[in-house]
Amino acid sequence: MANAVNSPTNAVDPMHSEQPGHGNSVAAWTMVAIMLVGVGVGCVGYGLASVTVVIVGLALVAVGLIAGWVLKKAGFGVGGAKSKSGH
């Protein structure tokens, strides 16, 4: 290859130098748990052909998103003041 760039073999990509956080926090787990319940309720409502139950499921998914955001702002997210600093 005539246009190949010679790069040192021990170069570290700055984008990959830190371990990913994976969202293991109270805020993330609470959000996921509420959203899973919402999806479950929505699936049951879909199976029963009940528009009302499907809408309740969708509302629970939205509540989960809001709860996760509020908990993150309250310090329960990854690296937050009230969360474990295990990462």
Side-chain angles (χ1 to χ4, degrees), residues 20-28 71-72 75-81 83-87:
H22 298 301
N24 191 11
S25 67
V26 173
L71 286 170
K72 180 181 175 187
F76 289 100
V78 173
S83 65
K84 298 177 188 176
S85 60
H87 285 148

Side-chain angles (χ1 to χ4, degrees), residues 36-48 50 53-58 60:
L36 280 173
V37 170
V39 168
V41 168
C43 287
V44 168
Y46 184 79
L48 296 175
S50 173
V53 178
V54 171
I55 291 173
V56 169
L58 290 172
L60 280 172

